[in-house]
Each structure stands twice: as C-alpha cells, then as structure tokens.
Amino acid sequence: MPGGPITVQDLAGVFAVPPLPRRSDGRRSLNFDAAECVARHIEAGGITRYLYGGNAFLYHVTLDEYEALLDWLAGFRDPRWPIPSVGPSFGRAIDQAHLLKRYAFRAAMVLPCNDPRDARGMEAGLREIADAAGVPLILYLKSEDAFGSDKEAGLDAVGRLVDEEVAVAIKYAVVLDAPRRDPYLEGLLRRVDRRRVISGMGERPAIVHIRDFGLPGLTTGSGCIAPRLCTALFSSANGKDWAGADQLRSTFMPLEDVRDAWGPARVLHHATELAGIAPTGAIPPYVSPLATKQLQALAPIARELRERDA
C-alpha cells in the first residue's frame, strides 16, 4: 500500500466506503474472500481509496475481528490505499490504536461518538488516540454537536487538531435538506484548509460540496456497486461539467433513496450481494437484516445500477 505523509493531492478523489462481507455461520465470521471480490470490483472502476467504517459495521466489530481486518488491509498493494476506522468510544479506540501501531497505515478515521462529550474532552482524547496509534486521524463530522453542544468551541478544537497535524482530513457528513446553505461547514472552512475536507455522505450532496464549497473529493457507498459511474461523476464535477455530473448523480438516487429510508449500511450490504458482486452474508448486531419484501424491492434497483456501470 502507498506510504508517506498524506498530502492535499491524496485527498482529491473518490473514497469508497465498502461493506465488509461475513459468512452466514453461527459466528458471522468475516469473509475476506468475498471482501476481496468487492475490493477488486471497486478498483476495476477506477477507485483506489478504501475507507472501512460505518458501512463495514465497524461500530460493532470485536477486537479479534478488527485485528483480522487490519491483517487483510495491510496486504493491499499499490495503487490501493486502505484506511481503517477506530472507535466510536474512547476506550475501544485506544484498544484498537495499540493494534494499529503494529502496521504501517497512513491514517485512521475516528467513528463519530454519541456518548457524553465536550470540545476539550474530545480534543484531548483524539490526541491520545493518534499518539497511541502512531498515525494521524481523519475526523468524521456527522453532526454539528460532534464535539459537544458548544459548536464554536468544537470547530476551534478541530482547527487546532488539523493545524498541529493530529488530524489530516475531515469527512464532512452533516445532513441538511438544503446543503447549499450550511453555516456550520462555512465555520469549519474558516478554520481548516478546504482541501482537507471531504464531502462525506455519498452522491446526494457531492456536487454542491464540490461546486459551492470547493471540497476536493467525496466518499461513496453506492459507488462500491457502480465505481465507474462514480469516477465519472467526480471527473465531471472536477472539470466543472455540472450538467454531466448532475446527470450521473441521478443514476445513484434510486439506491440512495432506499438507503436513506431503510438504513445506509444494511441496504448497501444487501445490495452488494443482490447486484452479483459478492456474497455479503450476515449482518452483525445491533443492526437487523432487511425483510423479504424489502429485499425484493431492492434487488432490481441494485442490479440496474450495476448494469448501468458496465
């Protein structure tokens, strides 16, 4: 896998956020053969950045499973760039950081925490996690209270972490009905170089984030099924072909609508198998699988998106 410090050029692109297949056995054991099928499909479509986090259900992974995942990701060869996640709790992140230190990953993303927190406490904890892991962090801002109820103090803390290279990037994923008006993002960009902030919630807001806020890249779940289309969408947006980008974006909306309605991670998990990419198997607790009628409704949407990607 590629090495060296993460530059702003490294962040200008598409980051796949793949599912992590499991077997349908009693232990719901990880299925790395199937995971490699998913990774090859993504790479064949031109995406080489792999961010394993929420879509892989890492919120609920055991430490033994996490170590096995790190072993697998450490075997990725150029041009693949694997990024594991840690957390979401501080204690879990520290335990995972000690495992991460054995490897040569360039960064780790910190999953968002919903437990009691404030800006000073978050900043202190993230510094400890980065030190224990021996790698810089990617911060995942999923809500305006990600660093506690004092938004300005939280944004100040984020700015310090980036300035001091404790964090090298931010996955920005605050959902708004009208993303063109986003005072919180504007506040973030007053503190952090926009070249280090990635649009972090798929194709739906990506064009607005790239065009109106100058963000350099995007994360994608649905692009794990249609990586060529997602690569083309990014290329169109990067070339300021907004009409072309918007047309490509529209191809993702049927699946994105279902993901928003029924749960992004579990829909992607099932859609990957229904599209014929790889068997994804069981979904681990605390998330339940889709019902039979839901799977029947999802199947043609997933298959059509993959067919359009061919």
Side-chain angles (χ1 to χ4, degrees):
M1 58 184 172
I6 294 171
T7 67
V8 292
Q9 289 77 21
D10 291 325
L11 302 174
V14 181
F15 291 73
V17 187
L20 183 58
R22 291 174 177 265
R23 303 185 189 279
S24 295
D25 56 23
R27 297 175 56 244
R28 295 180 291 268
S29 53
L30 297 176
N31 184 347
F32 291 116
D33 291 335
E36 175 59 28
C37 289
V38 176
R40 282 201 304 266
H41 175 74
I42 293 168
E43 185 177 5
I47 301 175
T48 56
R49 300 164 177 85
Y50 298 80
L51 179 54
Y52 284 83
N55 287 341
F57 297 110
L58 293 197
Y59 289 91
H60 308 304
V61 74
T62 70
L63 280 179
D64 286 344
E65 290 172 336
Y66 187 74
E67 187 169 11
L69 173 63
L70 296 182
D71 280 337
W72 177 65
L73 292 178
F76 276 22
R77 297 182 180 275
D78 268 348
R80 293 184 188 177
W81 173 17
I83 306 167
S85 296
V86 298
S89 72
F90 173 75
R92 173 49 60 97
I94 285 290
D95 288 344
Q96 292 171 330
H98 294 313
L99 296 175
L100 270 172
K101 198 159 191 176
R102 303 174 187 171
Y103 300 87
F105 293 104
R106 299 173 71 195
M109 186 175 77
V110 182
L111 295 169
C113 175
N114 290 318
D115 295 321
R117 62 201 180 279
D118 57 49
R120 288 177 58 194
M122 285 292 299
E123 182 177 359
L126 291 168
R127 289 178 184 276
E128 286 191 40
I129 292 165
D131 184 65
V135 297
L137 305 176
I138 296 174
L139 307 182
Y140 186 169
L141 298 184
K142 197 172 183 178
S143 64
E144 294 185 1
D145 65 350
F147 275 61
S149 58
D150 188 335
K151 290 187 286 187
E152 294 299 314
L155 290 172
D156 288 342
V158 172
R160 287 190 294 271
L161 291 167
V162 175
D163 286 345
E164 297 172 33
E165 299 182 347
V166 176
V168 290
I170 294 163
K171 180 181 186 288
Y172 184 78
V174 177
V175 177
L176 298 173
D177 291 334
R180 294 185 68 176
R181 189 179 186 285
D182 191 342
Y184 185 71
L185 178 54
E186 291 170 355
L188 174 66
L189 297 179
R190 286 194 295 271
R191 295 163 169 89
V192 174
D193 184 342
R194 68 188 65 240
R195 296 176 298 171
R196 295 214 174 258
V197 182
I198 304 301
S199 177
M201 45 190 150
E203 291 74 17
R204 192 179 299 280
I207 295 174
V208 168
H209 282 163
I210 294 170
R211 181 189 62 214
D212 297 0
F213 293 95
L215 304 192
L218 69 140
T219 65
T220 180
S222 294
C224 298
I225 291 174
R228 292 175 181 84
L229 289 174
C230 191
T231 300
L233 187 161
F234 175 73
S235 296
S236 294
N238 201 39
K240 296 182 170 51
D241 176 10
W242 307 119
D246 194 59
Q247 184 175 5
L248 287 161
R249 172 187 173 277
S250 69
T251 64
F252 289 94
M253 289 304 100
L255 182 57
E256 287 293 285
D257 288 343
V258 177
R259 294 184 70 208
D260 288 346
W262 295 342
R266 67 176 182 161
V267 168
L268 180 63
H269 188 92
H270 285 299
T272 302
E273 180 165 331
L274 293 168
I277 295 166
T280 48
I283 290 178
Y286 291 150
V287 181
S288 63
L290 295 178
T292 300
K293 287 186 177 180
Q294 291 174 309
L295 293 172
Q296 291 169 345
L298 175 61
I301 296 172
R303 289 171 188 150
E304 181 180 357
L305 180 58
R306 188 183 181 189
E307 287 167 3
R308 296 186 70 171
D309 191 62

